[in-house]
Amino acid sequence: MFRLTDFNYHNRTVFLRVDLNSPVRNGRITDDARFRAVLPTLEYLLEHGARVVVGTHQGRPYGGDYNTTEEHARILSNLLGTEVEYVEDIFGRYARERIRLLKPGEVLMLENLRFSAEEVEYRSLEECEGTFFVRKLAPLIDYVVNDSFATSHRSQPSLVGFARLKPMIMGLLMEREINALTHAYDASEKPRVYVLGGSKVRDSLRVAENVLKNDRADLILTGGLVGQVFTLAKGFNLGDTNLEFLEKRGLLESVDRAERILDEFYPYVRTPVDFAIDYKGKRVEVDLLSDEKWLFDDHPILDIGSRTVEKYGEILRKAGVIVANGPMGVFEMREFAAGTVGVFRGIGESRAFSVVGGGHSVASIRENSITGIDHVSTGGGAMLSFFAGEKLPVLEALRISYERFKDKVEP
C-alpha cells in the first residue's frame, strides 16, 4: 500500500477522507479527539504544498442524527491555526468551483458526505466508482489520502470509489492503526489475551471464533452484554429482567453460537463470576454462586463485580499481548464504571503490548486519565472486523490502487 511519503503533493489537489464523526450534545461537538488524530496527516499535506479537500461524515447511516460539517471546519481551523473553508455542498457546481480555486497550502471541508444518498448505502467498488460523487470529483483530484480507519469496514463511494482512478494513499493515522493491529494479531508473545465487552455481541463472537480457531489468542475475557451472553451459554440464569432486555436487543439468538464456542474452546473463554446491579439506589454485587441471584429477576445487570475485576487483573498482569474492545458495563453511570475502569487500568499497568478500541472504551480511557496503553484505536467496528479475520473494503481498495499506480511513485 502507498505511504504518505511516496508522492510529491506540491500544487496537487488531494481528497483527504477522514472520520471526524464526534459526540454531539445540544447540537455542539463535545470531543475533538478524532480531529487531533488526523492533524499530522493534514499538516504534512499542507506543509508540502497540497491543495486539500477534506471529506467526512457526521451521524450513523440511517441514524437520523446528521449534522452539517460547519462546526467541524471551525474546530479544525482552530487546531490548525489556519482557515478551513466550509463548503455547503458535496459534489455540485459550487463545491467543484471552490475546489478549482484552491491554492497550495489551502484547505476546504465539504458538507457532511452522508447528506448524499449515494454515501449511505453499501456498494461494490465498481458501483462506488460509477456514482455521481466519484465521477464529478475525480477530474479535479490528483491523489486520494484515506485516514479514516474507523470506517474501513464500510464500502462507500468516498472510501473506495477512487481506488482505480487515482493513487489512493494511507494517511499517517491509517498507517499507525494498521501497523498496531497487525502487530497484535500476528504477535508471538504469550499469553495473548482478548477482552471482549460492550454491546456488539455478534461482532465479538466472530472475533472469538477467529482468534481461537487460528491460534491467535490464548485466553478471552468477557464483559458487558458479551459477557452476559457467554454466561447464559454456560447455563447460568440471569433473571427475567436481563433475559427480557437481551431478547429485545435480539441477542438471545446468539447464546447458541456462544455455546458452540464454549464447547470447542471452553477453558479459554472466561466469564464474570459476579455482577453489579442497582438495588435501592446503591451498587450491589451479586455472586453467580450465591443465594442472592433472585435479584437478577427485577434488577438489570449494569457492571461486572469486583471479584471479576480482580481475577481479570491477575490475568492481564501476566499477558504478553492484550486486545480489548468495549466496556464492562454501563460506565456512563459513575457507580457502575468500576468494572470498566478497573479492567482498563489493569491493561495499562500490564507489561503487554496493548491495543484498545471502541468509542465507549476510548471515552472511558480519556475520562479516567488511564495511561500505559500502547495503541488506542479510533475504530470500534473496524477493529472488530479486523480481528474477526474479515477483509476490510478500504484496505482492499488501498491494495488495488497500489497495484494499479505503483509505477507513479514520486517521493
Side-chain angles (χ1 to χ4, degrees):
M1 292 184 278
F2 289 123
R3 304 179 66 208
L4 204 58
T5 52
D6 285 338
F7 294 95
N8 172 19
Y9 302 102
H10 182 70
N11 206 27
R12 307 291 176 84
T13 301
V14 177
F15 175 61
L16 173 61
R17 179 57 163 98
V18 294
D19 183 352
L20 303 180
N21 189 28
S22 303
V24 174
R25 186 179 298 123
N26 298 323
R28 300 298 300 273
I29 291 172
T30 60
D31 187 356
D32 66 0
R34 284 189 166 176
F35 293 80
R36 295 181 182 276
V38 301
L39 273 182
T41 297
L42 184 50
E43 289 171 339
Y44 181 93
L45 291 170
L46 295 178
E47 287 168 4
H48 288 78
R51 303 187 295 251
V52 182
V53 179
V54 178
T56 187
H57 65 275
Q58 177 66 43
R60 295 178 179 274
Y62 309 109
D65 55 348
Y66 298 143
N67 286 320
T68 75
T69 53
E70 186 171 8
E71 188 182 6
H72 298 70
R74 185 165 60 249
I75 293 172
L76 209 51
S77 295
N78 292 335
L79 291 173
L80 275 174
T82 188
E83 182 187 4
V84 175
E85 179 188 359
Y86 163 65
V87 175
E88 199 174 354
D89 191 10
I90 299 174
F91 56 81
R93 183 176 298 173
Y94 178 63
R96 300 199 304 274
E97 184 61 28
R98 298 311 301 165
I99 292 170
R100 289 191 188 95
L101 293 174
L102 275 174
K103 296 176 182 177
E106 291 184 343
V107 55
L108 65 78
M109 179 173 290
L110 299 174
E111 182 55 280
N112 186 345
L113 298 180
R114 286 185 179 165
F115 282 2
S116 168
E118 291 181 328
E119 186 68 15
V120 176
E121 295 182 9
Y122 286 29
R123 304 166 182 261
S124 67
L125 188 149
E126 291 75 15
E127 290 172 323
C128 289
E129 193 176 283
T131 58
F132 284 103
F133 175 84
V134 172
R135 286 159 50 198
K136 292 285 188 179
L137 293 189
L140 305 176
I141 293 170
D142 297 298
Y143 300 115
V144 174
V145 174
N146 196 310
D147 220 13
S148 184
F149 175 78
T151 53
S152 59
H153 58 313
R154 304 188 188 280
S155 184
Q156 294 165 334
S158 70
L159 295 165
V160 305
F162 296 102
R164 299 190 299 189
L165 305 175
K166 304 289 176 179
M168 185 171 162
I169 304 153
M170 292 186 295
L172 298 175
L173 173 63
M174 177 72 76
E175 184 176 358
R176 191 165 68 248
E177 292 272 15
I178 294 170
N179 288 342
L181 271 58
T182 301
H183 177 79
Y185 188 70
D186 293 338
S188 57
E189 300 93 334
K190 293 187 176 184
R192 299 156 299 176
V193 180
Y194 280 65
V195 183
L196 301 177
S199 60
K200 294 182 177 178
V201 174
R202 297 176 188 86
D203 293 340
S204 296
L205 292 179
R206 293 203 304 273
V207 172
E209 286 175 330
N210 180 62
V211 296
L212 289 170
K213 285 181 179 178
N214 291 291
D215 191 27
R216 303 287 181 166
D218 300 298
L219 205 59
I220 290 178
L221 312 179
T222 64
L225 296 184
V226 180
Q228 290 185 41
V229 167
F230 270 111
T231 301
L232 288 171
K234 281 187 173 181
F236 289 96
N237 183 1
L238 295 182
D240 296 341
T241 293
N242 295 293
L243 289 174
E244 288 171 9
F245 178 79
L246 292 169
E247 186 175 23
K248 286 180 182 177
R249 298 284 295 265
L251 296 178
L252 285 184
E253 62 193 40
S254 296
V255 174
D256 288 343
R257 187 173 184 178
E259 193 171 348
R260 289 195 295 272
I261 295 172
L262 290 172
D263 287 343
E264 189 172 356
F265 303 103
Y266 180 78
Y268 310 116
V269 181
R270 305 291 171 86
T271 55
V273 296
D274 56 350
F275 290 102
I277 61 170
D278 185 333
Y279 183 65
K280 296 182 178 180
K282 292 184 178 180
R283 177 187 173 103
V284 172
E285 297 187 355
V286 179
D287 194 292
L288 281 177
L289 298 179
S290 75
D291 295 331
E292 297 176 334
K293 291 197 302 297
W294 62 269
L295 288 167
F296 292 146
D297 281 330
D298 299 312
H299 303 279
I301 291 169
L302 300 175
D303 194 12
I304 59 173
S306 54
R307 284 188 61 231
T308 301
V309 174
E310 184 179 350
K311 287 179 176 293
Y312 284 4
E314 292 173 2
I315 293 168
L316 294 169
R317 281 191 289 274
K318 299 174 183 177
V321 173
I322 299 171
V323 174
N325 191 293
M328 297 292 101
V330 187
F331 77 96
E332 297 91 341
M333 301 170 65
R334 179 170 293 185
E335 286 293 312
F336 299 97
T340 300
V341 174
V343 168
F344 287 162
R345 285 202 194 284
I347 294 172
E349 293 167 1
S350 172
R351 65 177 178 84
F353 175 78
S354 53
V355 173
V356 177
H360 289 119
S361 303
V362 175
S364 178
I365 289 167
R366 287 170 58 84
E367 288 171 10
N368 294 282
S369 302
I370 296 171
T371 59
I373 295 171
D374 293 290
H375 181 74
V376 179
S377 178
T378 56
M383 178 176 156
L384 287 172
S385 294
F386 182 94
F387 287 111
E390 299 167 3
K391 289 185 177 181
L392 275 62
V394 169
L395 302 195
E396 292 303 303
L398 283 162
R399 294 186 183 100
I400 289 169
S401 194
Y402 176 81
E403 289 302 320
R404 175 156 296 206
F405 297 107
K406 58 187 176 183
D407 60 334
K408 304 291 186 183
V409 171
E410 46 172 2

